Amino acid sequence: MALVAASWTWSFSSTSPLSHQPLDFVGTFSNRWSYGLAFGATANKVMFLFSEGYQPLQVPQWAQAFVLLIGGIEVGLSHFPFFACLSSEFQLLSSILGFSYSLIWFAVTILHIIQCPHGQLLGRYETLVLYWPSLMCLVFLLGRFLHMFVKSLRVRLGWDLQTEEKPFLEAHQAKHVKQLLRKAPPLQREKSWFQSRIYEWDPCFQFPSRMIGTTVLAFICLYLFIVIEFCMFLHVRDQLDVFEDQLESYIAFRNETGTLTSVVLQVKELISVTKGAWVVTILPASLTCVSYLFHILACYRKHIKRLWAGDKHFLPLKFHNPSSSASVVAIARYSGWQIAYILWGYLIVHVMQSLCGVVLMYSLVLPIVHNQGLELLQRLGIGVLTIAIVLGLMILQVWIATSFFLQQKMDAGDRQKPLALNNRKAFHNFNYFLFFYNVLLGLGACLSRLLISCVLGSWLIARIDRTILQNGYEGADMGFGAWIGMLYVDHYHTNPVLVSFCHILITGHRERRQQQAVTYWYLNQSTGPRISARSRTRWLLLQTLINNPKLLMCRKSKPGHSSRDFTQILLACSES
């Protein structure tokens, strides 16, 4: 298919001025879902690269990066015509080429499903389960190109008006600027629970095509990853069943009834609990990553609008002025890295949730199953009492410090007492005798810090919009750096205020050029009163000097001529 794509790309490049720009990753807001589903059609190829199954050449281990780079270029080349046809100005020709190319891909995929419907991992209908998202994307592209063909054909036949060229200022950007210039209403309308807690639609904001395409491709790749992971789980489960049968056969052969039997039973129980926890946590892990994808979109809107308002306080200090070259590279990295982070994040979250499920089973469920409920309650009561006493002593220290070792409030309206010591001698004794106890307490606090860091770090590993490293070490988080660089590129190139200002300049310049063209056209007419060539030349010179005042200083004056006085008059006219 790569050779076919190359020939199609070459044939298309001779007709479309946008053939070398399949998708503007910065400022494209039209055809967003078409671009997104065109990305979705590449999901199977992306997963093939992600699993490192692309091995056309036998190369050393150190050269694998070059092989994967070649594979990525091949995938991009094979799907290049989709984006080129969607972005071309020649709608009639591009719709025909795009529809034909989509139909070829659709036919090849259907033929592959018919010839190889089953597989080794999932078994029956494995190919259909893996390829139906790409088929739906191709069906959408077929409908989209058909709609483009009908619309362009109606324009060509004169049944519809010619569509205007792509506007420099998008409608939602103009609405955003108008909203800034409009006085805010004194009373805000009450928001619903969904709007205040989850998401509120903003008519003055649209996500760029890059974010839509990244989200669609991430959804499909996540689905394929979950299916492949489940297939691998079925394979491992079958191997574990064989291992359990071998253990039972060994015990029956040795006729063991002592310690070895109890160990085997515990191993079988561990295997059974692990399998159950892994299956049960598939849905929570999937929902967690799906919620991350929606939350990342919400964070993108929130962060980019803060940058538009000039607010950088939500960023670490070292990211207030990022490198320009790093930001340009970051916007190229972001989409691919976001998908990879989601896939790896799902696997890590799934492992962590399965471990939590195993711990929960061994700490609460299995003791009850083995008729050890009273012992469980006893251990649980002792543990809760110990934690309650430790927390109580910590709260007691705070209460003593507030009651005896701080001076009274300076004003009745103060929220807390001032940081001014009182009863200093008693405070020094309090600090000394609790020093040794706090050493032991610090051990538990350190372990809790380690546990919380591991849990939160594993839970938020897929969140590329925030760093999981401590303050001062954010630069080592390459994913977060890509997110920040991408935000800055979008901020500098799609800021509605900046785009509106440029739109005003371009519109004004275009209107002035049109006025000049009308003036020159009138002077060049053969009809009307006869004008000498010298008068026409002097008039054109006057128009040129008025429109370009800096040229007045460069004019040379001849002795005996009044050009200097004429220049001074033009300077006075231009200044006025």
Side-chain angles (χ1 to χ4, degrees):
M1 289 302 294
L3 295 177
V4 176
S7 62
W8 277 74
T9 304
W10 174 258
S11 64
F12 191 78
S13 62
S14 60
T15 59
S16 173
L18 296 178
S19 59
H20 299 288
Q21 181 185 306
L23 175 60
D24 180 5
F25 275 89
V26 179
T28 301
F29 296 95
S30 58
N31 288 336
R32 296 180 300 163
W33 289 104
S34 299
Y35 287 124
L37 292 172
F39 273 113
T42 68
N44 292 94
K45 305 297 182 296
V46 172
M47 290 302 300
F48 186 67
L49 291 176
F50 186 78
S51 62
E52 297 185 359
Y54 181 83
Q55 296 291 340
L57 302 174
Q58 295 296 330
V59 296
Q61 184 67 29
W62 55 268
Q64 292 295 324
F66 297 103
V67 175
L68 294 178
L69 176 62
I70 295 173
I73 295 175
E74 182 179 351
V75 172
L77 181 63
S78 63
H79 292 80
F80 182 89
F82 290 138
F83 303 100
C85 292
L86 287 171
S87 60
S88 173
E89 295 178 354
F90 300 92
Q91 295 290 311
L92 185 61
L93 179 60
S94 62
S95 61
I96 296 174
L97 293 176
F99 183 85
S100 303
Y101 194 73
S102 302
L103 187 61
I104 291 175
W105 268 105
F106 183 80
V108 170
T109 307
I110 290 293
L111 185 62
H112 176 63
I113 293 175
I114 294 175
Q115 291 181 347
C116 305
H118 313 306
Q120 298 179 355
L121 291 177
L122 194 61
R124 296 178 61 84
Y125 306 109
E126 176 184 322
T127 309
L128 180 61
V129 172
L130 295 177
Y131 279 88
W132 74 264
S134 297
L135 281 178
M136 294 297 102
C137 295
L138 291 173
V139 169
F140 177 87
L141 291 177
L142 287 172
R144 174 60 181 166
F145 286 123
L146 184 61
H147 176 265
M148 290 172 54
F149 173 76
V150 173
K151 186 176 180 181
S152 58
L153 185 61
R154 291 177 63 88
V155 172
R156 182 62 62 90
L157 296 176
W159 296 349
D160 291 337
L161 296 176
Q162 177 68 34
T163 57
E164 299 180 356
E165 61 179 1
K166 178 183 177 182
F168 183 79
L169 178 65
E170 299 287 344
H172 69 277
Q173 294 174 336
K175 290 181 180 179
H176 178 82
V177 177
K178 291 179 181 178
Q179 188 181 38
L180 293 178
L181 298 177
R182 192 181 300 119
K183 183 182 293 186
L187 296 177
Q188 298 289 342
R189 63 183 182 85
E190 186 178 356
K191 298 180 181 179
S192 63
W193 179 87
F194 184 85
Q195 291 175 334
S196 60
R197 298 294 181 87
I198 300 179
Y199 187 78
E200 181 182 5
W201 180 70
D202 186 2
C204 303
F205 180 86
Q206 283 188 3
F207 292 102
S209 299
R210 180 191 64 257
M211 298 300 296
I212 300 297
T214 302
T215 304
V216 172
L217 184 57
F219 267 114
I220 299 178
C221 288
L222 180 62
Y223 163 78
L224 295 176
F225 190 83
I226 294 172
V227 172
I228 294 173
E229 184 212 41
F230 184 73
C231 295
M232 296 300 297
F233 165 74
L234 295 179
H235 178 71
V236 173
R237 185 195 62 180
D238 294 338
Q239 296 297 324
L240 290 176
D241 292 340
V242 172
F243 177 69
E244 291 181 4
D245 294 339
Q246 291 178 353
L247 287 178
E248 293 180 354
S249 301
Y250 177 77
I251 294 175
F253 177 75
R254 296 292 301 270
N255 196 15
E256 290 282 347
T257 58
T259 307
L260 185 59
T261 303
S262 61
V263 172
V264 170
L265 292 177
Q266 292 178 2
V267 170
K268 292 180 62 177
E269 186 179 63
L270 175 61
I271 293 174
S272 177
V273 169
T274 305
K275 290 190 295 185
W278 187 268
V279 173
V280 169
T281 53
I282 289 178
L283 182 60
S286 305
L287 295 178
T288 300
C289 290
V290 169
S291 65
Y292 284 167
L293 288 174
F294 287 111
H295 189 73
I296 286 171
L297 289 176
C299 287
Y300 172 82
R301 189 184 71 171
K302 179 175 65 175
H303 290 174
I304 198 69
K305 292 181 75 172
R306 285 184 178 180
L307 288 178
W308 289 348
D311 181 14
K312 298 182 181 180
H313 295 93
F314 67 97
L315 299 176
L317 186 61
K318 62 175 60 178
F319 287 105
H320 282 192
N321 293 299
S323 170
S324 300
S325 57
S327 298
V328 172
V329 175
I331 199 170
R333 290 175 177 171
Y334 166 73
S335 297
W337 283 21
Q338 179 65 81
I339 296 170
Y341 272 61
I342 286 293
L343 298 183
W344 281 116
Y346 165 78
L347 182 61
I348 294 173
V349 168
H350 194 184
V351 171
M352 291 298 298
Q353 291 183 354
S354 299
L355 292 177
C356 293
V358 171
V359 171
L360 184 65
M361 287 290 295
Y362 272 94
S363 59
L364 296 178
V365 178
L366 290 181
I368 298 177
V369 173
H370 297 320
N371 297 323
Q372 297 177 354
L374 294 178
E375 297 179 2
L376 171 64
L377 292 177
Q378 184 179 4
R379 292 196 302 267
L380 187 62
I382 294 175
V384 171
L385 181 60
T386 303
I387 295 175
I389 291 175
V390 172
L391 294 178
L393 290 176
M394 295 174 64
I395 296 173
L396 180 62
Q397 293 181 36
V398 176
W399 180 81
I400 293 175
T402 304
S403 302
F404 299 102
F405 301 136
L406 288 178
Q407 298 180 12
Q408 299 299 321
K409 294 181 180 179
M410 301 176 63
D411 188 13
D414 293 343
R415 297 182 58 184
Q416 59 181 357
K417 293 182 177 180
L419 187 57
L421 288 176
N422 192 15
N423 300 322
R424 287 176 174 265
K425 293 183 179 180
F427 169 73
H428 294 320
N429 290 315
F430 173 82
N431 194 14
Y432 172 77
F433 286 106
L434 285 179
F435 170 80
F436 305 100
Y437 169 74
N438 285 327
V439 171
L440 301 177
L441 185 62
L443 178 62
C446 179
L447 294 177
S448 64
R449 179 187 186 185
L450 177 62
L451 179 62
I452 293 173
S453 299
C454 292
V455 172
L456 289 181
S458 303
W459 202 276
L460 300 176
I461 191 65
R463 290 280 302 277
I464 201 174
D465 61 294
R466 64 188 308 160
T467 180
I468 59 175
L469 301 181
Q470 293 183 355
N471 186 20
Y473 297 92
E474 300 93 348
D477 192 344
M478 294 186 290
F480 183 67
W483 170 265
I484 298 300
M486 179 268 299
L487 286 178
Y488 270 97
V489 172
D490 283 350
H491 167 55
Y492 277 93
H493 290 81
T494 62
N495 192 317
V497 177
L498 176 62
V499 175
S500 300
F501 176 72
C502 296
H503 173 71
I504 294 173
L505 293 180
I506 293 173
T507 305
H509 177 70
R510 187 180 300 166
E511 291 176 354
R512 289 194 299 270
R513 291 290 298 272
Q514 291 176 354
Q515 293 176 359
Q516 295 175 10
V518 171
T519 303
Y520 293 149
W521 174 82
Y522 176 77
L523 292 174
N524 290 327
Q525 294 299 306
S526 58
T527 60
R530 184 176 181 81
I531 302 174
S532 64
R534 180 181 176 82
S535 298
R536 182 183 294 109
T537 303
R538 298 287 291 179
W539 178 255
L540 295 177
L541 174 63
L542 175 63
Q543 289 287 333
T544 303
L545 293 177
I546 289 177
N547 294 327
N548 301 276
K550 292 184 178 180
L551 296 177
L552 294 173
M553 307 304 298
C554 301
R555 297 196 69 210
K556 294 182 179 180
S557 60
K558 294 183 179 181
H561 290 75
S562 59
S563 60
R564 181 177 297 275
D565 298 334
F566 178 68
T567 302
Q568 293 177 357
I569 293 173
L570 287 177
L571 282 172
C573 293
S574 63
E575 291 177 357
S576 62

